[in-house]
Amino acid sequence: MADRRLQVFLTVARQLSFTRAAESLHMTQPAVTFQVRQLEEQLDARLFDRNHNRVALTEAGELVRRYAERIFDTYGEMEAALRELKGAAGALVIGASTTVAEYMLPSLLGAFRRAHPEIGIRLRVGNTGMVVGMVEEGSVDLGIVEAPVTHRSLEVQACFSDRLQLVVPPDHPLAGRDSVGVEAFVDAPFICREEGSGTREVIMEYLGQSGYDRNALRGCMELGSPEAIKGAVAAGMGVSVLSEAVVAKELALGELAAIPLDPALERPISLVHARQKFRVPTLEVLKQFLQDYCRPGPDMPK
């Protein structure tokens, strides 16, 4: 119901990139540019300066951004209030990145369901960039992701830490090592997730912090799921860096070997939701449950 042009504009304004906005919105870049130009014509104002491949808001653009954020906040409040009025507030929609959804959420959501059978949960899965986009556009109530999120329109709360390790075939020369540094695998055939994946972003940050070009693995083989990556590593096509939770079964069966990284690579699993004055009661129940559930204990990885 909200104006699509205003929604597209706000995504570009937050990311200051037509390319990244197109990826978040699952649109082509020309389509994003067209929507912004239509809005500029409608408002009779230039909203962006584009110089030397840099995008910046004009004074008018900054004004429109502030009002657009207020408009969409109010729209979100209206939707939540209507759900309350119609008695539909018991259904929540969660967006989760692939790793979280497949390997961490099943036991957690099972426990929540037992504790609160009156609250329905629907789950939407995508990479971290897609989930953040869903939260921004209001199509999910809560996102659970495994990469840092810095969008100023979103509230982010760390839940627990997830450790990543180098994963290799059992007969790989590195398989018997107690630990490995970046130098041990940076030149090896590497298998990674697609652009927009939280796991990939965390690995790139780790490379940079270790003194390497964060794009040193740019030529890696890209696969769209952890399962596909595990299969490729087991087949000897390369090595990868994956969450302990992702490879637990394969390690137990001896199908893969995992070596701790030195320095250790950990990432926060975070809850992401819109900063809104109106709070959906069932969302507050779920958030509190997640925070309690993710405290140190035997049920979740720390």
Side-chain angles (χ1 to χ4, degrees), residues 117-164:
E118 75 284 1
I119 301 178
I121 297 288
R122 285 184 290 150
L123 179 64
R124 297 182 62 183
V125 181
N127 63 37
T128 293
M130 292 168 63
V131 171
V132 171
M134 292 178 206
V135 175
E136 284 189 310
E137 69 186 20
S139 60
V140 302
D141 298 298
L142 181 73
I144 308 178
V145 298
E146 78 262 18
V149 178
T150 56
H151 295 58
R152 57 187 171 184
S153 64
L154 302 179
E155 187 172 322
V156 182
Q157 297 172 297
C159 191
F160 62 91
S161 293
D162 177 37
R163 180 172 295 178
L164 285 80

Side-chain angles (χ1 to χ4, degrees), residues 165-177 180-193 199 203 207 216-217 219-223 225-226 228-243 247 255-259 261:
Q165 297 185 332
L166 182 69
V167 179
V168 300
D171 59 352
H172 193 279
L174 295 175
R177 298 271 293 270
V180 292
V182 173
E183 70 283 352
F185 65 87
V186 70
D187 294 323
F190 196 85
I191 304 168
C192 62
R193 289 285 304 280
T199 300
I203 294 170
L207 289 173
L217 304 177
C220 67
M221 176 188 294
E222 293 186 9
L223 296 177
S225 72
I229 292 176
K230 289 188 293 184
V233 172
M237 300 173 66
V239 303
S240 189
V241 171
L242 294 170
S243 162
V247 296
E255 297 173 354
L256 293 171
I259 309 102
L261 294 172

